[in-house]
Amino acid sequence: MARKWWQDAVIYQIYPRSFQDSNGDGIGDLEGICSRLGYLKDLGVDAIWLSPFYKSPMKDFGYDVSDYCSVDPIFGTLADFDRLLEDTHKRGIKLIIDLVPNHTSDQHPWFVESRAGRDSPKRDWYIWRDPAPDGGPPNNWMSFFGGPAWTFDAQTGQYYLHQFLPEQPDLNWRNPEVRAAMYDVMRFWLRRGVDGFRVDVMWLLVEDALFRDEPENPHWQPGMWDRGRHLHIYTEDQPETHEIVREMRQVLDEFDGDRMMVGEIYLPYEQLIPYYGTPERPGCHLPFNFHLITRGLSNWTAENLRRIVEEYQASLPAWATPNWVLGNHDQHRLASRIGHAQARVAAMMLFTLPGSPTWYYGDEIGMVDGDIPPEKVQDPAALRQRGLAGDQGLDPGRDPERTPMQWTPFTYAGFSTVEPWLPVNPDYPERNVETQDADPESMLTLVRTLLVVRRETPGLREAPYESYKAPKGVFAYLRGRVVLAALNFTAEPKTLAVPPGEILLSTYLDRYGAVESTLELRPNEGVILRLQ
Ligand code: NOJ
Ligand code: CA
């Protein structure tokens, strides 16, 4: 079967608020993204994923949608979206948009109608329950953003479920009308021509039908994250979820042109891989593999990374497409987690592993976490935790990884002409696209070159992964016995026995040429070798 575009596509995630402001209100927008397509083409990405730009009260910065078939005026208009899509396609780049099916905004007309009365025709579109006998929430389920996952509605005397903010009520996916409505939303955008969806919290779409309490987590301690109190056997990864994923797949397959979905799923491999479905009944094209983030960044050693990669390779069925991620808008910045030298090694690993990698905007210039003063914190998750804790709290939540893209060494880093919604990182005079573009050894040059090498080296995109023996501190692997990646995860020099070959790229961007039988790796160096 011919390879599909998404089987080795480099997906670039844009957080629209923070990429480029075009109209001087300090918030990024679609027009701004349009103006930066040339940059993305030069960078060499195959697809763009846009975080939500739909009409929204912005309680969770767009992950609280009040109209799925519109563009919020902050970001532009539907006509702007159509132009962005057209311009993206003209450049040979695919466009994937965010689908947020688990919950709506509490301002969505569906919820307004649902909460209007117990006999509302849309009552059952959301999850309403009577209070417990003591008047409290119906069970012990906790929200991801702190506190109970239930909010009482005094007017109708019942609680509604929300896995996130109270302003993000969960839809009832057991209701066929809800399914039909969301599939029509998908069709709306597919007809406009989008290439697919990144599906928000795919593993949370359904909860236990009996609303049983979740068991205590024996490892939880006071002071830890609220939601960590329980083991989530009734609010995550319920069996019916796979039916829904299958139905979403069928909607995508109604359209020609290889439309696809990538699903947000934070689960161990044995629970993650079933989201691919089976060859006869395929499900999600790319269930996000977050293990490099969740298990890798906190223990950044060659041995741990080899384990993460090889466990995945071993458990993935041959027909399923692997995928890898190192950052997104919910995770602290790559360079802040592992340092700039290792971020270069990480990029080389990401773009030489088999399958489809996803890259977070700004990581290509090594953007670091912003330092957000407590009074400037915007992230609703952080603010809610703070409110619940009854203190000022210092945790800036997810703001640090959402600061404006750094384009130039000039005012507001070229992101905007006015003060942006989140402070520009003060390192922008040195760390920005313009400066790194002119520097032959910058992180930006490395990422761009890695993507050239990835495109132009037979084997790197499609050949199978094969483990390669390496000394402690080095992770090495072959791709189809024609390419060898050797990655030094330490600050010490290392030596590796290799077959004769030619250096295609070093993360230092300063050496090429023949290698006989030994490869000397400098501290924090990764090398791609083409074997003879
Ligand atoms: C996951 C998204 O990535 C995150 O940013 C958002 O807050 C939650 N889903 C709720 O939609
Ligand atoms: Ca703007």
Side-chain angles (χ1 to χ4, degrees), residues 407-464:
W407 296 104
T408 70
F410 309 116
T411 322
Y412 301 124
F415 166 76
S416 179
T417 50
V418 302
E419 191 182 343
W421 75 286
L422 278 178
V424 179
N425 200 303
D427 70 357
Y428 78 88
E430 305 82 49
R431 186 175 304 289
N432 62 72
V433 168
E434 196 174 298
T435 306
Q436 292 201 15
D437 195 37
D439 173 358
E441 293 182 358
S442 67
M443 178 75 175
L444 180 60
T445 304
L446 172 64
V447 170
R448 197 180 281 149
T449 313
L450 270 167
L451 296 186
V452 173
V453 171
R454 181 184 162 89
R455 271 197 305 279
E456 294 183 352
T457 309
L460 258 191
R461 286 171 85 124
E462 74 293 344

Side-chain angles (χ1 to χ4, degrees), residues 18-277:
S18 301
F19 201 59
Q20 178 68 62
D21 176 20
S22 75
N23 63 344
D25 63 359
I27 302 177
D29 43 55
L30 298 184
E31 173 69 40
I33 297 170
C34 247
S35 72
R36 294 296 186 182
L37 287 175
Y39 167 76
L40 296 173
K41 184 68 191 171
D42 286 350
L43 186 59
V45 307
D46 302 298
I48 297 169
W49 147 35
L50 291 184
S51 280
F53 50 79
Y54 315 106
K55 196 158 174 250
S56 162
M58 302 291 164
K59 296 287 178 194
D60 189 16
F61 295 118
Y63 282 97
D64 50 321
V65 180
S66 55
D67 179 354
Y68 287 98
C69 301
S70 68
V71 173
D72 194 278
I74 289 182
F75 297 121
T77 62
L78 256 184
D80 293 334
F81 177 82
D82 288 340
R83 197 161 61 80
L84 173 60
L85 182 60
E86 198 188 326
D87 286 4
T88 306
H89 282 167
K90 267 193 203 145
R91 292 177 191 268
I93 301 175
K94 306 281 185 185
L95 188 67
I96 300 168
I97 60 175
D98 225 296
L99 181 74
V100 190
N102 178 69
H103 45 268
T104 66
S105 158
D106 63 344
Q107 304 302 307
H108 195 292
W110 298 342
F111 188 70
V112 172
E113 194 180 338
S114 182
R115 89 185 306 173
R118 287 197 188 203
D119 53 2
S120 153
K122 292 223 167 42
R123 188 64 168 180
D124 188 50
W125 279 44
Y126 293 82
I127 300 175
W128 293 96
R129 300 293 287 170
D130 287 335
D134 67 356
N139 64 23
N140 72 356
W141 298 351
M142 304 297 282
S143 147
F144 273 81
F145 290 167
W150 297 97
T151 288
F152 187 63
D153 176 60
Q155 200 193 316
T156 57
Q158 285 189 311
Y159 282 85
Y160 65 89
L161 179 75
H162 52 88
Q163 295 247 38
F164 295 92
L165 294 175
E167 293 89 350
Q168 294 168 294
D170 272 48
L171 284 160
N172 175 14
W173 272 87
R174 289 205 175 82
N175 182 328
E177 291 175 18
V178 167
R179 295 189 186 197
M182 199 57 74
Y183 301 152
D184 279 343
V185 169
M186 292 173 71
R187 292 185 187 101
F188 173 86
W189 293 104
L190 290 165
R191 274 197 299 270
R192 290 198 110 76
V194 302
D195 298 288
F197 301 97
R198 173 271 190 185
V199 181
D200 193 60
V201 297
M202 186 178 263
W203 86 118
L204 304 181
L205 292 176
V206 185
E207 294 77 29
D208 180 43
L210 301 176
F211 295 91
R212 283 168 283 190
D213 277 345
E214 294 195 312
E216 301 286 322
N217 173 3
H219 303 296
W220 185 84
Q221 281 170 5
M224 282 165 69
W225 194 36
D226 259 3
R227 195 177 148 87
R229 275 171 189 259
H230 303 125
L231 301 172
H232 304 297
I233 59 171
Y234 296 132
T235 55
E236 299 188 0
D237 192 33
Q238 300 298 292
E240 292 98 317
T241 317
H242 294 284
E243 262 172 46
I244 297 167
V245 174
R246 172 77 192 134
E247 288 174 5
M248 288 180 170
R249 173 63 177 251
Q250 286 168 324
V251 174
L252 288 162
D253 289 346
E254 289 168 17
F255 292 79
D256 57 12
D258 298 325
R259 316 299 176 101
M260 56 82 78
M261 62 178 149
V262 38
E264 186 197 23
I265 303 168
Y266 285 90
L267 286 175
Y269 289 150
E270 65 274 19
Q271 285 168 278
L272 175 67
I273 287 170
Y275 282 81
Y276 281 100

